[in-house]
Amino acid sequence: EVDLEERLCELDLRSDSDIPDVPPPTDSTPEILKRALSGLSARWKNWWIRGILTLAMISGFFLIIYLGSFMLMLLVLSIQVKCYHEIITIGYRVYHSYDLPWFRSLSWYFLLCVNYFFYGETVADYFATFVQRREQLQFLIRYHRFISFALYLTGFCMFVLSLVKKHYRLQFYMFAWTHVTLLITVTQSHLVIQNLFEGMIWFLVPISSVICNDITAYIFGFFFGRTPLIKLSPKKTWEGFIGGFFSTVVFGFIFSYFLAQHQYFVCPVEYNSETNRFVTECEPSELFQMKKYSLPPLLQAVLGWETVNMYPFQMHSFALSTFASLIGPFGGFFASGFKRAFKIKDFADTIPGHGGIMDRFDCQYLMATFVHVYITSFIRGPNPSKLLKQLLILQPEQQLSVYKTLKSHLVEKGILQPSLRG
């Protein structure tokens, strides 16, 4: 016990350069793949392992899309929990914090608290009619923020009570580590689900663009890469970066064209309280109705066309694809810097040839925030369906007051005839 306290106290005083090495992850490649690829060089062996596992993950992703929006939400939540686990585990290993009192339990407790706060808000916004029918849920929704604060405050007090002499600095390191991890994982996954509610296309195009950029940048870099791009990630090259950019823009434009033709992808995801199911049925907005555009003179001379028919959303896909290919990779560079700081190659060994789940989704988090900001800034207007759900929660006298005010307003605008007063 005394030796442990002295060791941790010394660890508190170490500089960054003295951070202990994290044990390298084990090779989780299936034995059948190892035997099949045993005759190849390490470079090509890694190429085939990454390629096979990438196709497997993409196939699984398409299956989940087919199963519907609810399964996609469960997928996002599962990825969030796994990413949180991988980052927190690095902290445990680096700072030897397994022996800190309550800390392992508190880390997961804070994850539950933050999820309760964010997704409680989502339930209140999108499941209002469902909540209205259940009195026990009405209490939780009405006092949601107070309950969330009380839960967090409980965890905060437990942390303070767990502080141990000679370990203070180490424990505060881990407290900050936990909160930054929550910011990276829970906040971003919440935004991903918010984007999904706007329509599956706002979920699929950004995520697929990041995946496309990751794959094509790797392919271009593997075959043509000569010029290093950034010191944080020595394997990244300018050839891969540029090739990934153009490939992603083309992919986003074509992929958007196919998705925009189907209600299933373009309609907002809404919960139907009568059938207890998520539905995607609507009259597509102007974003998803074919329009004719005049081409600039230069393109007219090159292509020989004066006009082109396309969906307005395809114009927005340029912004999404450009961000995914030019700014999105900086999420990966940030993760590379993080791993270098703690002398690790990957966040985990969950996926052979790829590393951990966080290694595959480091660029997605920046993308989720951008899409949410983009929608709220340039796309989203008042949502009649959401407003109606909120009105249905009001007391009858409040609903009547809103009705009279709205009726008076419509009469003044000339939309309703004055004869309808009364």
Side-chain angles (χ1 to χ4, degrees):
E1 176 75 10
V2 175
D3 291 340
L4 175 63
E5 290 185 3
E6 291 178 354
R7 180 166 58 86
L8 291 176
C9 185
E10 291 175 1
L11 184 61
D12 277 350
L13 301 175
R14 291 183 182 180
S15 65
D16 286 346
S17 60
D18 295 325
I19 290 174
D21 292 332
V22 176
T26 57
D27 185 5
S28 59
T29 306
E31 286 298 326
I32 187 171
L33 273 181
K34 287 183 180 179
R35 290 196 297 269
L37 304 174
S38 58
L40 299 177
S41 65
R43 184 168 182 257
W44 278 101
K45 185 183 297 184
N46 185 61
W47 160 269
W48 279 106
I49 291 173
R50 285 177 66 100
I52 293 169
L53 269 296
T54 296
L55 290 175
M57 288 188 289
I58 291 174
S59 300
F61 185 53
F62 280 129
L63 175 61
I64 293 174
I65 293 171
Y66 173 76
L67 293 176
S69 52
F70 180 70
M71 295 303 297
L72 284 172
M73 293 178 198
L74 291 181
L75 174 66
V76 172
L77 288 173
S78 301
I79 291 171
Q80 174 219 110
V81 173
K82 182 56 180 171
C83 288
Y84 181 82
H85 172 259
E86 290 179 357
I87 299 175
I88 288 296
T89 299
I90 292 172
Y92 290 149
R93 290 175 177 173
V94 169
Y95 295 116
H96 301 285
S97 58
Y98 288 106
D99 300 303
L100 291 179
W102 300 357
F103 203 88
R104 193 179 185 90
S105 301
L106 281 176
S107 296
W108 291 101
Y109 176 81
F110 281 125
L111 177 66
L112 290 174
C113 289
V114 176
N115 271 303
Y116 175 79
F117 171 73
F118 279 115
Y119 292 103
E121 299 278 330
T122 300
V123 170
D125 286 342
Y126 294 99
F127 300 84
T129 52
F130 175 81
V131 171
Q132 189 180 18
R133 297 176 181 177
R134 290 162 174 79
E135 293 185 5
Q136 64 273 27
L137 291 181
Q138 289 182 30
F139 173 83
L140 293 176
I141 295 301
R142 177 174 296 180
Y143 302 105
H144 171 70
R145 296 199 174 187
F146 180 81
I147 295 172
S148 300
F149 178 70
L151 289 172
Y152 179 83
L153 201 58
T154 300
F156 179 81
C157 293
M158 290 173 66
F159 167 75
V160 174
L161 293 174
S162 72
L163 291 173
V164 179
K165 188 177 181 180
K166 295 183 180 181
H167 298 179
Y168 295 149
R169 184 181 299 181
L170 174 61
Q171 288 180 285
F172 277 103
Y173 281 159
M174 293 305 299
F175 185 75
W177 184 293
T178 298
H179 282 66
V180 172
T181 305
L182 289 170
L183 177 66
I184 293 173
T185 56
V186 182
T187 306
Q188 303 305 312
S189 66
H190 173 69
L191 294 180
V192 170
I193 291 180
Q194 291 291 310
N195 298 339
L196 177 59
F197 275 112
E198 296 294 328
M200 208 176 289
I201 195 169
W202 291 104
F203 173 87
L204 293 177
V205 171
I207 285 181
S208 300
S209 295
V210 172
I211 294 172
C212 173
N213 183 72
D214 192 30
I215 293 172
T216 55
Y218 176 76
I219 292 173
F220 276 93
F222 186 88
F223 289 105
F224 309 109
R226 297 291 183 274
T227 313
L229 175 63
I230 186 170
K231 291 182 178 179
L232 278 175
S233 191
K235 293 184 179 180
K236 298 291 192 299
T237 63
W238 275 105
E239 291 81 3
F241 186 74
I242 295 171
F245 166 70
F246 286 107
S247 301
T248 303
V249 170
V250 173
F251 166 82
F253 187 80
I254 297 173
F255 190 49
S256 298
Y257 173 79
F258 286 107
L259 293 185
Q261 300 177 45
H262 304 281
Q263 280 191 7
Y264 182 72
F265 297 114
V266 304
C267 291
V269 176
E270 296 182 349
Y271 177 75
N272 188 321
S273 58
E274 295 180 359
T275 60
N276 287 329
R277 295 176 58 190
F278 287 99
V279 295
T280 51
E281 297 176 358
C282 67
E283 181 65 31
S285 67
E286 292 184 357
L287 276 178
F288 308 108
Q289 296 179 12
M290 190 72 74
K291 291 187 178 180
K292 182 177 290 187
Y293 292 90
S294 298
L295 292 175
L298 179 60
L299 287 179
Q300 290 184 22
V302 174
L303 300 175
W305 304 337
E306 294 185 358
T307 61
V308 63
N309 293 324
M310 58 185 291
Y311 294 100
F313 181 82
Q314 290 180 270
M315 303 295 291
H316 295 289
S317 75
F318 279 116
L320 300 177
S321 300
T322 299
F323 186 92
S325 52
L326 297 184
I327 308 299
F330 279 83
F333 301 152
F334 175 85
S336 296
F338 179 90
K339 289 183 285 187
R340 282 179 169 274
F342 295 100
K343 305 175 184 177
I344 56 177
K345 181 177 183 293
D346 298 311
F347 283 95
D349 59 351
T350 309
I351 312 170
H354 292 268
I357 298 295
M358 190 65 197
D359 290 288
R360 291 277 55 82
F361 288 90
D362 46 14
C363 299
Q364 296 286 3
Y365 287 114
L366 280 178
M367 194 70 197
T369 305
F370 172 73
V371 174
H372 185 75
V373 171
Y374 189 88
I375 291 173
T376 54
S377 300
F378 305 111
I379 305 297
R380 182 189 294 161
N383 189 331
S385 177
K386 186 175 178 180
L387 182 61
L388 181 59
K389 291 177 181 178
Q390 293 173 334
L391 287 174
L392 293 175
I393 301 176
L394 299 177
Q395 297 298 321
E397 58 273 15
Q398 294 174 314
Q399 294 175 344
L400 188 59
S401 175
V402 172
Y403 166 72
K404 290 179 178 179
T405 303
L406 179 60
K407 180 180 177 181
S408 176
H409 173 75
L410 293 176
V411 169
E412 291 177 3
K413 289 284 188 179
I415 298 174
L416 287 181
Q417 296 298 322
S419 59
L420 296 177
R421 288 181 188 272

